[in-house]
Amino acid sequence: RIPGDVARLTPAQAEHRLAALGFAEPVRALQHLAALSTGISRTAAIQRTVLPVMVDVFAGSADPDGGLLAFRQVSEALGRTPWFLRLLRDEGRSAERLALILGRSRYAANLLQRAPEGMWVLADDAELVPRSREALVAAIQATVRRAPTQAQAVAVARGLRRVELLRIACADLLGTLDVTAVGAALADTTAATVGAALQIAIQAAEAEHGGQLPTRVAVIALGRLGGGEVAYGSDADVVFVHDPLPGADEGRAAAAALSVAHATRSLLALPGPDPAVVIDAGLRPEGKQGPLVRSLAAYRAYHARWSSVWESQALLRAAPLAGDDALTATFLTEVADRARFPGRFGGDAAAEVRRLKRRVEAERTTWHGRARDLKLGPGGLSDVEWTVQLLQLQHGHAVPGLRTTGTLPALAAATAADLIDPDDAEALRAAWLLAARARNAVTLVTGKIADLLPAGGRPLDGVARLLGYAPERGPELLVDVRAQLDQARAVVERVFYETAVDAG
């Protein structure tokens, strides 16, 4: 009852065949095949039809055992679900795509096991196109309004996010999205989810206060979220701001805003079958020692008098996320723009940025994994982003194109304004794209959030294959990544540390 030519073999011969196909645990693989295909049920009959194709696809992946196990788990989760069986039986392309995804990605396999109903995204190319932020916000907020309780509302919102994460991951694994589109889609999904949690928190606070809140609340995106460059494992860097309504008591307004902020974070942190949305407010004024929420007036006063260089740098990526639109717009123009695009960014300030960068390198990287560190290692994401951000701080007031939250658009604007040599800019751009792709690939392949390339073995082979390398060519990937990132580091040493000029 084992599918394909394996059916004609004895158990020992079948195990040998599976081992030859690349299965590391052929005995267990044979058990999975038997569990899926044994019996006279319609389900078993369909599995016997599709498994030969799927086993061949698994055999061509970096982790055949993991792919087959994941397929068994998804099949058992869906049981006799009619649409799943029809999809396997009638949509050969979907079955092959499913095998490709499960064989390539532990991250996608985990999502499918938690939300197997999301497999329908494989049935049609149109379903692999990420939904816009506006469509996501509308869909999530509509379901939130219909939910009878807060817990159910946030569960529905996170369930929709889970399916969207699966859609993005599948499109990425199948090569229909590049890394910049992945980052933007993940940012849109996070924004819609945070917006839903904020909406739920505000509704609860209004019920507690017996009506309208005494203040308006907004959540501002920072970091990769603000830049639309989110990775699969990125936290949501944000700041919370509020603005008391005319005539409202400022103490009551501040307490209400703080209650909403805490509730928003708590709702997103509730245990669930999906990757958590971790709200990180550590980039707020005074860092984690500062108030979680400030009023608009307090932000104005703070940045006018006390703002440090790192706080101005953090605001380079400030962008709308959720909450009151008018408050968001006022914050960006009256607080963020004044801090991030000053009329003059002198030598002392530039020296402070460089000092901070060296401190980060010393404190947050280890020599053991430094060469494989895609984020903080030499020539990695951080190197490129700090170099671009220094140019933005120095020249953003005079060069409109630099007033963007995206790294690559800002780099292109700096090149067009002759602030950086085109060859140097291309080295930075290529390194950033490669590091971002490889970092996402590590998470997709292993299912774990990590900044380091695997040192070897199947994980490295899986990442290399996802990036277009032939099987067993993982060591070549390590060499190529290091060569590309070393070119970028040479530019960083020259442009960021040595020859960056101060804006007059």
Side-chain angles (χ1 to χ4, degrees), residues 290 313 417 457:
Q313 185 178 356

Side-chain angles (χ1 to χ4, degrees), residues 275-296:
V277 181
V278 180
I279 295 290
D280 187 345
L283 294 177
R284 63 185 184 268
E286 301 176 278
K288 294 181 180 179
Q289 305 305 314
L292 178 60
V293 186
R294 290 178 187 262
S295 69
L296 179 63

Side-chain angles (χ1 to χ4, degrees), residues 144 149-158 161 193-205 259-272 274-279:
V144 164
T149 67
Q150 287 187 51
Q152 288 174 303
V154 76
V156 169
R158 287 172 55 165
R161 171 179 176 264
T193 310
V194 173
L198 179 67
Q199 178 185 343
I200 296 166
I202 289 175
Q203 289 172 350
S259 173
V260 167
H262 279 307
T264 300
R265 298 177 78 179
S266 297
L267 288 168
L268 293 171
L270 289 173
D274 56 291
V277 181
V278 180
I279 295 290

Side-chain angles (χ1 to χ4, degrees), residues 309-356:
V309 170
W310 76 264
E311 289 165 338
S312 295
Q313 185 178 356
L315 287 172
L316 284 170
R317 292 184 169 191
L321 188 69
D324 190 277
D325 292 336
L327 175 57
T328 296
T330 303
F331 177 89
L332 293 178
T333 55
E334 297 186 7
V335 176
D337 285 351
R338 292 176 183 177
R340 59 188 170 183
F341 306 127
R344 176 178 175 80
F345 194 81
D348 290 343
E352 176 65 8
V353 173
R354 299 184 186 104
R355 186 189 70 78
L356 289 170

Side-chain angles (χ1 to χ4, degrees), residues 31-223:
Q31 292 170 349
H32 295 326
L33 292 171
L36 287 164
S37 61
T38 297
I40 59 173
S41 69
R42 178 169 172 263
T43 301
I46 292 174
Q47 293 283 15
R48 286 193 292 272
T49 301
V50 301
L51 273 170
V53 174
M54 301 195 79
V55 168
D56 283 344
V57 176
F58 291 142
S61 70
D63 185 14
D65 301 85
L68 180 56
L69 172 61
F71 178 65
R72 178 179 176 182
Q73 291 168 334
V74 170
S75 296
E76 290 177 347
L78 288 169
R80 300 171 184 265
T81 308
W83 67 261
F84 174 65
L85 297 176
R86 284 198 302 272
L87 199 66
L88 290 180
R89 183 193 64 197
D90 301 334
E91 299 287 345
R93 188 182 186 192
S94 296
E96 185 174 355
R97 280 178 164 180
L98 177 62
L100 281 170
I101 287 164
L102 294 178
R104 290 174 177 176
S105 173
R106 172 49 49 188
Y107 178 87
N110 289 341
L111 285 173
L112 268 169
Q113 289 163 33
R114 293 162 176 166
E117 69 279 3
M119 206 187 85
W120 53 263
V121 304
L122 300 175
D124 189 338
D125 287 349
E127 295 296 342
L128 291 171
V129 178
R131 301 170 76 181
S132 68
R133 180 176 298 198
E134 294 75 19
L136 285 169
V137 168
I140 289 178
Q141 290 189 351
T143 57
V144 164
R145 283 192 294 269
R146 293 194 297 268
T149 67
Q150 287 187 51
Q152 288 174 303
V154 76
V156 169
R158 287 172 55 165
L160 290 173
R161 171 179 176 264
R162 187 163 59 246
V163 172
E164 198 62 26
L165 289 177
L166 179 61
R167 187 198 315 275
I168 296 165
C170 289
D172 192 356
L173 290 161
L174 294 172
T176 64
L177 283 185
D178 65 22
V179 68
T180 57
V182 168
L186 290 171
D188 289 343
T189 303
T190 300
T193 310
V194 173
L198 179 67
Q199 178 185 343
I200 296 166
I202 289 175
Q203 289 172 350
E206 286 176 339
E208 182 180 337
H209 285 78
Q212 185 179 25
L213 285 185
T215 189
R216 301 179 296 160
V217 181
V219 187
I220 309 298
L222 299 176

Side-chain angles (χ1 to χ4, degrees), residues 203-247:
Q203 289 172 350
E206 286 176 339
E208 182 180 337
H209 285 78
Q212 185 179 25
L213 285 185
T215 189
R216 301 179 296 160
V217 181
V219 187
I220 309 298
L222 299 176
R224 298 188 183 284
L225 181 56
E229 299 162 352
V230 175
Y232 288 106
S234 295
D235 292 345
D237 291 312
V238 306
V239 292
F240 292 91
V241 59
H242 79 101
D243 188 31
L245 299 179

